[in-house]
Amino acid sequence: MRIVNWLTAKMPTREGMERNKYMRPIAGRVLRSELWRFTRRSVPRGVALGMLAAFLIPVGQIFVAAFFALPVRANVPVAALSTFITNPFTYPFWIVVANRVGDFVLQIDAMTYGEPLNTQMRSTMGEWINWIFLETGVTAFGFAVLAIIFASLGYVVASFGWRYWIGRKRRRSQLRKSTHSG
């Protein structure tokens, strides 16, 4: 229950987004009531969208998630909240993970023969540029892979979690009804 209370306190409100100067141009669309309801379809969409934005967009993920929640009818608060998987404290960790995932998936070391870029740039600066471009590309690809994996897993986990939570509420309600009627 503590986690639910903490999440509820941290979740953006409609009023807060209405007052935000960056959201004003699209506030009419973002603040539609169906985008703020917690339903079995909108919550998993919001989680997946938030995870996708968290890993693909380095800055302004909350606004991107809220903006892209419009066409897919995802829950805006859930989309915004799930972007916090990547934050300034966890981002260095995710950079390392993305680099390792990208390196594993691409297997660049195993696929390349020789060093075609490095032979053209023999200076120390050329080696640095080569290394930066190589590692940046691998890391960016790793972030794309992480975005797809986490969005898919987030959707599935949120769907099952939602069904479990609602089923548990219904069982409790039925149990209360049966104890009061009997």
Side-chain angles (χ1 to χ4, degrees), residues 10 69 83 93 104 113-114 148 170:
K10 298 295 179 189
T83 62
F93 168 76
F104 175 76
Y113 176 76
I148 293 167
R170 285 184 182 159

Side-chain angles (χ1 to χ4, degrees), residues 5-81:
N5 292 338
W6 182 83
L7 289 173
T8 304
K10 298 295 179 189
M11 221 173 269
T13 63
R14 289 177 72 185
E15 294 79 26
M17 291 187 86
E18 191 173 24
R19 287 189 305 265
N20 188 310
K21 67 180 180 180
Y22 299 111
M23 295 297 284
R24 273 195 201 121
I26 59 169
R29 291 185 177 193
V30 173
L31 299 176
R32 290 193 323 230
S33 64
E34 68 261 12
L35 298 175
W36 291 80
R37 284 190 208 123
F38 293 88
T39 65
R40 67 183 175 97
R41 288 190 179 107
S42 70
V43 169
R45 288 177 188 164
V47 170
L49 189 62
M51 296 284 181
L52 201 65
F55 286 105
L56 291 181
I57 312 296
V59 178
Q61 304 140 324
I62 294 172
F63 300 114
V64 171
F67 181 73
F68 285 129
L70 302 175
V72 295
R73 295 186 319 267
N75 186 287
V76 173
V78 171
L81 189 64

